[in-house]
Amino acid sequence: MKLKASLLFFLIVSMTASAQVLVAQKQKFTKQDTLRGSITPERAWWDVNFYHLALEVEPDKKFISGTNAIRYTVLSEHNTLQIDLQAPLKIEKATQDGENLAITSDVNAHFISLNKPQIIGESNEVIVYYSGVPKEAVRAPWDGGFSWKKDENGKHFIATSCQGLGASVWWPNKDHMYDEVDSMAISVTVPKGLMNVSNGRLRSTDENETTSTFHWAVENPINNYGVNVNIGDYVHFGEKYEGEKGTLDMDYYVLKDHLDVAKKHFKDAPKMMKAFEHWFGPYPFYEDSFKLVEVPYLGMEHQSSVTYGNKYMKGYLGEDLSGTGWGMKFDFIIIHEAGHEWFANNITYKDIADMWIHESFTAYSENLFLDFYYGKEASADYVIGTRKKIKNDTPIIGPYNVNTEGSRDMYYKGANMLHTIRQLVYDDEKWRSILRGLNQEFYHQTVTTAQIENYMSNQSGLDLSKVFDQYLRSTTIPVLEYKIVGKKLSYRYTDVVEGFKMPLKVRVGKKELDLTPTENWTSQNLNGDLSSFEVPRDYYILMRKL
């Protein structure tokens, strides 16, 4: 579980933050959205401790069947437990202590009536049996489900992906991000001649007449969408990385025909680990190892089982997203998706409305990788270059309690917000300590936006509340208006949230000045050369000379 903050605190923060979104999002939501996205009474009373997911995958039929043994601790007295599983998959039955239990279903939410008293503090187990033809991903990983593909040799090449859509698209679970399971076992049976790679470490393999079963174990808390199944004609190679917490196993599973190219190309992986341990602190899952696993789609941040499908190319499928040339210095999927091990898998949002916590920091990690190896100017070039992808269409923070994310600007607008905050901190070691501190303070926890905002304000010694409001909750970019008349400089912000007063370091002529513009005009008399007025490009603002 990741229940470090109280449930009541989370609900209050969610409702408050929802009310504070500064640009209304006109969306219609259904009962199913609420059942999927809220902490219902049938979820709130129990804390999930352990899953043992066991399933058989039959590729020729695109059919799966299995069980999930769900162990939980009783937090309050209740006798109905909500488990999520999306159609067309069906729950066949559920048992507790060998007794069949009654199940009432509301489309994808299934309410299991428990026969025995649920006593506070006790640990119990429910086993859910299920089967069916799961949803097939149309455009993984953005449209989730199972990807049923074949490799160049005609062998099955299969993978799951399910962020947003939810892990319940392929296995039954408590499908809300606020409560992460403490640990997990994953047993997957596949046709002989294929291998399954999942999260954590491979503990054992059972060889049967026509099938093989692979038993994986995850020792750390894991979010539901981070759980994965990857099936193919895999070969393995690996290395030992001497990191901040000792020796880390770095394992790579690729298609047999790609072994040679992978051995050359995956050199970005230990480079990533060195850079990100520097910026973010120790890799959060030493016990479970780090893996890159080749899949038939682009890639995803599955915990300790990061999936890879960037076709062994630099950049994003061979493209530099920044347009600066720096994006071709690394494999985007290796750097970005592995960066999520810190921001997504270690620090996890409680509600997908706060998905910026995952994507803004991880998009920002791309330029920190460049900073580590090529310096600050290269990293600034890159992150500033990505501004062309920002749409400013809807707020980055989405509506709460309905399983809905905000704008896709959470990637590069969020990254540029963080780059701007780095300028405000104006101390790179302090900035690094804040990034590392986040991963220590919220180690293996689910969090809210408020917790991240408050931590960064407190540790920086700056009130960043209006900065976060501006970039996360509105769709306008601050405009600095200025005019120079004689020896008098006048300036103010427009297109800002009320109370916005972000300080700037500017250059007037040959002088550097510290300004704190507000929504009102401020004027000051200056001596010397006033022929030029410059604001460093690192601040994500616009300028208008009057």
Side-chain angles (χ1 to χ4, degrees):
M1 69 171 184
K2 287 190 179 178
L3 292 172
K4 309 296 185 184
S6 73
L7 177 59
L8 178 61
F9 172 79
F10 170 57
L11 292 174
I12 291 172
V13 167
S14 294
M15 290 185 289
T16 301
S18 236
Q20 289 178 339
V21 172
L22 302 178
V23 176
Q25 295 184 337
K26 296 181 179 179
Q27 294 173 271
K28 293 182 179 180
F29 299 106
T30 67
K31 180 182 179 183
Q32 285 301 307
D33 294 323
T34 300
L35 287 174
R36 173 76 173 80
S38 64
I39 304 173
T40 62
E42 293 78 17
R43 284 174 171 153
W45 68 269
W46 58 285
D47 169 30
V48 63
N49 306 134
F50 179 78
Y51 291 132
H52 182 189
L53 174 63
L55 72 155
E56 181 171 359
V57 179
E58 301 178 55
D60 290 336
K61 300 178 181 178
K62 297 184 178 180
F63 185 87
I64 65 174
S65 59
T67 61
N68 190 16
I70 304 167
R71 297 177 198 166
Y72 62 92
T73 299
V74 179
L75 303 178
S76 61
E77 294 182 2
H78 209 291
N79 67 347
T80 304
L81 180 146
Q82 179 181 340
I83 291 297
D84 305 284
L85 184 67
Q86 297 179 34
L89 294 175
K90 294 181 179 179
I91 293 181
E92 297 169 352
K93 67 176 181 177
T95 65
Q96 185 164 73
D97 298 337
E99 293 186 10
N100 287 340
L101 303 173
I103 304 172
T104 302
S105 297
D106 189 340
V107 190
N108 298 325
H110 308 276
F111 301 93
I112 301 173
S113 298
L114 305 173
N115 296 332
K116 76 175 186 179
Q118 303 295 303
I119 299 171
I120 295 174
E122 285 193 353
S123 294
N124 292 318
E125 181 178 90
V126 167
I127 302 176
V128 178
Y129 299 75
Y130 78 109
S131 65
V133 176
K135 178 183 180 298
E136 185 167 354
V138 176
R139 187 171 172 261
W142 300 278
D143 174 80
F146 261 79
S147 294
W148 306 95
K149 305 293 182 180
K150 296 283 185 71
D151 66 17
E152 295 103 325
N153 299 315
K155 290 195 172 184
H156 289 291
F157 191 24
I158 301 162
T160 58
S161 56
C162 56
Q163 186 181 21
L165 180 63
S168 54
V169 74
W170 67 276
W171 61 286
N173 60 81
K174 185 180 187 178
D175 206 2
H176 193 289
M177 298 290 287
Y178 87 102
D179 187 10
E180 288 193 356
V181 70
D182 297 330
S183 59
M184 185 170 182
I186 306 166
S187 300
V188 182
T189 299
V190 300
K192 210 169 204 44
L194 297 175
M195 180 181 187
N196 170 70
V197 181
S198 288
N199 314 80
R201 294 183 183 272
L202 182 63
R203 298 303 189 193
S204 63
T205 304
D206 298 333
E207 294 296 344
N208 310 306
E209 185 176 348
T210 59
T211 62
S212 302
T213 302
F214 298 86
H215 299 281
W216 296 83
V218 181
E219 292 188 19
N220 289 288
I222 185 169
N223 64 57
N224 292 334
Y225 85 80
V227 177
N228 68 351
V229 163
N230 307 291
I231 300 166
D233 185 18
Y234 286 124
V235 292
H236 165 263
F237 68 101
E239 59 189 310
K240 304 287 187 183
Y241 177 80
E242 297 304 322
E244 290 194 12
K245 287 181 67 174
T247 302
L248 172 65
D249 292 320
M250 299 186 69
D251 295 300
Y252 312 112
Y253 292 86
V254 300
L255 293 181
K256 180 172 58 180
D257 289 352
H258 297 165
L259 178 60
D260 290 340
V261 67
K263 284 184 174 180
K264 296 176 182 177
H265 193 78
F266 282 2
K267 293 185 186 300
D268 269 357
K271 288 180 64 179
M272 170 279 302
M273 195 62 66
K274 184 175 182 179
F276 289 168
E277 286 208 328
H278 169 82
W279 283 109
F280 302 145
Y283 174 70
F285 310 107
Y286 270 71
E287 300 84 357
D288 292 324
S289 77
F290 173 84
K291 293 191 293 296
L292 284 177
V293 186
E294 186 174 2
V295 291
Y297 63 88
L298 187 60
M300 194 72 192
E301 67 261 26
H302 301 103
Q303 183 173 308
S304 72
S305 182
V306 174
T307 50
Y308 176 84
N310 201 39
K311 302 184 184 301
Y312 301 99
M313 303 170 76
K314 294 292 187 180
Y316 182 100
L317 291 173
E319 177 189 356
D320 173 12
L321 295 181
S322 75
T324 65
W326 290 113
M328 300 305 292
K329 296 293 185 181
F330 59 91
D331 184 307
F332 176 91
I333 291 299
I334 293 176
I335 303 309
H336 181 92
E337 302 304 343
H340 276 305
E341 293 281 45
W342 286 264
F343 291 96
N345 298 338
N346 185 38
I347 304 173
T348 308
Y349 56 69
K350 275 182 161 67
D351 191 303
I352 197 171
D354 290 334
M355 189 173 166
W356 77 273
I357 297 169
H358 295 197
E359 299 300 351
S360 296
F361 281 97
T362 306
Y364 183 63
S365 77
E366 297 158 27
N367 79 289
L368 290 181
F369 176 86
L370 289 169
D371 190 305
F372 187 82
Y373 288 104
Y374 301 99
K376 287 181 69 173
E377 284 302 304
S379 69
D381 285 347
Y382 180 85
V383 71
I384 292 167
T386 63
R387 289 178 186 171
K388 66 181 184 293
K389 295 190 171 293
I390 299 171
K391 294 182 177 180
N392 287 312
D393 52 357
T394 55
I396 286 177
I397 293 180
Y400 288 87
N401 301 318
V402 285
N403 192 48
T404 301
E405 65 191 55
S407 168
R408 304 305 283 177
D409 280 349
M410 69 180 78
Y411 289 85
Y412 293 117
K413 184 178 179 181
N416 275 280
M417 175 190 72
L418 293 170
H419 186 63
T420 298
I421 294 174
R422 180 181 184 177
Q423 315 314 310
L424 304 181
V425 172
Y426 201 61
D427 180 334
D428 285 349
E429 277 307 304
K430 188 174 188 178
W431 179 235
R432 177 177 169 235
S433 74
I434 291 171
L435 297 175
R436 290 174 65 94
L438 283 166
N439 280 280
Q440 183 177 14
E441 178 73 14
F442 303 112
Y443 182 74
H444 290 179
Q445 293 183 40
T446 59
V447 300
T448 63
T449 285
Q451 288 175 277
I452 300 300
E453 290 183 4
N454 292 338
Y455 180 87
M456 293 182 71
S457 287
N458 291 337
Q459 295 302 309
S460 67
L462 304 170
D463 181 359
L464 298 171
S465 59
K466 295 301 180 181
V467 175
F468 286 118
D469 279 349
Q470 182 72 43
Y471 293 104
L472 297 179
R473 299 181 177 89
S474 83
T475 58
T476 57
I477 300 305
V479 177
L480 179 68
E481 293 187 335
Y482 72 97
K483 54 188 176 182
I484 299 174
V485 179
K487 294 295 184 180
K488 185 169 74 173
L489 169 67
S490 300
Y491 51 88
R492 71 173 180 180
Y493 279 128
T494 62
D495 292 343
V496 292
V497 299
E498 184 177 356
F500 186 84
K501 52 181 181 180
M502 185 174 75
L504 301 170
K505 291 186 178 295
V506 305
R507 181 171 290 277
V508 181
K510 296 181 179 180
K511 292 182 180 179
E512 187 174 274
L513 298 177
D514 291 324
L515 304 184
T516 305
T518 68
E519 298 163 85
N520 301 314
W521 283 106
T522 299
S523 299
Q524 60 188 95
N525 292 314
L526 300 173
N527 296 317
D529 179 14
L530 303 185
S531 61
S532 63
F533 181 87
E534 299 176 12
V535 176
R537 61 180 185 149
D538 300 289
Y539 297 99
Y540 183 36
I541 65 171
L542 304 175
M543 293 177 60
R544 182 183 298 133
K545 182 179 181 180
L546 300 180

